[in-house]
Amino acid sequence: CIIGGESYTQNIVFKQTFGRAIKSFAHKEPFYYYLLKFPSDFLPWSVFIPAACIHFWKNRTRNNNVLFPAAWFGATFLLFSLVSGKRALYLLPLYPAAALIMAKFFGDLLRMEALDISALQKKFITIPCHMLLGALAAAGVFIMLALSGRMSIFQELATAKTALFPVAFLAAVGGIGGFLYIQKKTDIQRIVRTLAFYSLAANLAAVLSIFPAVKKFESDEPFCEKIKSLVGPDEKLYASFNPYIFNYWLHRYPIPEVRDRAALETIFQSSEKVYYLASDREYKKLPGELRNMATVLETGNIGRKKIYLFVNKAGNGT
């Protein structure tokens, strides 16, 4: 705050901290937002939360060592739910606590005798397993059909077919096989081990095959490398959108976000060279006179969004 000065202090303390907590100016969500968001982000383990709750309640007198991660999770979850501004990434500190709780639950299952596991608990474990393996099989079939060119919605992924198709095939076959296996095996310990095997296999497939293949299609890095070659580290760069991706890849923070027409005119009329990033939607909104004040140097796709890199003509000597 001393280095940043009064305006920085006002912004970081009152707007970014108290402002986001009490009446957020961005990412404002209802109090139940995380009740919907966390389970989807914690898949596949979130489907076993009901079984874990039953287990810990039944064994509450001998499961006191789960109280610390439970308090860690519950208090933090409640605090973030009361805050006005909400984003999924804010819950990152909760995942170690949630992982500890679920690891304790599955560890207990592996050590318990079959007679200690109630019929209700078995249902809350076997039914989610069936759901997960059925979803895995359905996803595998769906992706294979998409990569076969039967669905236009995924045509962009055709270039990654050689990497993704074998994974999708194994997912379909493995999902069906696992579904049939746990239907015949009522032993909870075997079901838990099967789940662990499938989880490990899915994570390895994602890291070794899926993410690298999709990265070639979705990656922001190649376009940012082009920008680096055109824009010097000391030259001015603005954006028409939240440029968090470019902040990261270009090692600039923050890249100012400018949309106001008067501010854009000032930028484009500057005698020094100024660069401007605009999304396709913002580019189409620019009036003709503003477009004539700048030159498009480069275009690139970030996912399905087209991004333009401009340089002002006045500062560029044209």
Side-chain angles (χ1 to χ4, degrees):
C1 288
I2 292 170
I3 294 170
E6 184 181 351
S7 61
Y8 172 83
T9 303
Q10 290 282 342
N11 180 58
I12 204 71
V13 174
F14 295 103
K15 182 179 179 182
Q16 298 291 346
T17 304
F18 292 113
R20 285 184 185 273
I22 299 167
K23 191 174 182 181
S24 183
F25 58 89
H27 309 295
K28 189 175 182 179
E29 300 289 349
F31 74 93
Y32 55 81
Y33 175 77
Y34 290 134
L35 289 173
L36 304 176
K37 192 64 181 171
F38 178 79
S40 66
D41 288 348
F42 195 53
L43 284 171
W45 313 113
S46 52
V47 297
F48 297 99
I49 290 174
C53 290
I54 294 171
H55 168 74
F56 289 127
W57 178 254
K58 282 186 65 180
N59 298 279
R60 58 190 178 278
T61 56
R62 55 179 179 175
N63 268 302
N64 289 330
N65 55 352
V66 82
L67 289 179
F68 172 67
W72 169 3
F73 182 91
T76 313
F77 188 91
L78 178 63
L79 175 65
F80 279 123
S81 295
L82 294 175
V83 169
S84 175
K86 297 178 178 67
R87 296 179 70 191
L89 61 88
Y90 293 167
L91 293 187
L92 190 60
L94 295 184
Y95 287 91
L100 286 169
I101 293 168
M102 297 311 293
K104 174 75 169 81
F105 167 62
F106 285 113
D108 287 353
L109 289 184
L110 290 172
R111 288 188 292 270
M112 286 172 69
E113 296 293 333
L115 295 175
D116 293 334
I117 301 174
S118 67
L120 182 62
Q121 273 183 285
K122 283 184 179 180
K123 284 184 179 179
F124 275 112
I125 295 166
T126 55
I127 291 174
C129 282
H130 280 99
M131 290 168 55
L132 289 171
L133 291 167
L136 181 66
V141 172
F142 179 82
I143 293 171
M144 283 193 293
L145 290 173
L147 294 174
S148 309
R150 311 235 173 155
M151 298 180 186
S152 57
I153 185 174
F154 284 99
Q155 280 182 352
E156 300 96 333
L157 291 176
T159 55
K161 183 176 179 179
T162 53
L164 296 180
F165 197 90
V167 175
F169 176 77
L170 289 174
V173 173
I176 294 169
F179 187 93
L180 296 175
Y181 175 78
I182 64 171
Q183 265 197 319
K184 293 181 179 179
K185 301 292 181 182
T186 55
D187 184 82
I188 291 297
Q189 284 85 353
R190 289 190 182 184
I191 291 175
V192 171
R193 291 189 180 99
T194 302
L195 179 67
F197 169 78
Y198 273 86
S199 176
L200 177 62
N203 278 281
L204 287 174
V207 171
L208 299 177
S209 182
I210 297 172
F211 291 160
V214 174
K215 184 182 176 183
K216 293 177 183 177
F217 168 68
E218 291 282 351
S219 179
D220 321 309
E221 188 176 6
F223 182 47
C224 289
E225 287 299 323
K226 290 180 182 178
I227 296 173
K228 274 186 183 179
S229 67
L230 294 169
V231 183
D234 298 322
E235 293 182 301
K236 292 184 178 179
L237 176 65
Y238 300 88
S240 70
F241 50 86
N242 186 343
Y244 62 95
I245 291 170
F246 297 92
N247 286 334
Y248 174 78
W249 287 113
L250 300 177
H251 306 292
R252 289 171 174 256
Y253 189 82
I255 296 173
E257 186 177 346
V258 178
R259 297 186 188 183
D260 181 69
R261 179 172 175 174
L264 282 175
E265 284 185 10
T266 303
I267 288 171
F268 289 165
Q269 288 172 354
S270 173
S271 58
E272 60 181 323
K273 192 180 288 187
V274 178
Y275 297 88
Y276 185 68
L277 290 164
S279 64
D280 189 44
R281 185 175 65 178
E282 295 295 332
Y283 172 72
K284 290 175 180 175
K285 288 181 180 178
L286 286 176
E289 56 268 29
L290 277 180
R291 291 190 200 181
N292 293 332
M293 295 168 66
T295 303
V296 177
L297 287 182
E298 192 64 69
T299 60
N301 291 317
I302 304 296
R304 291 178 174 80
K305 292 182 180 178
K306 189 173 184 179
I307 307 294
Y308 294 83
L309 173 65
F310 294 90
V311 63
N312 62 328
K313 290 181 179 179
N316 203 31
T318 59

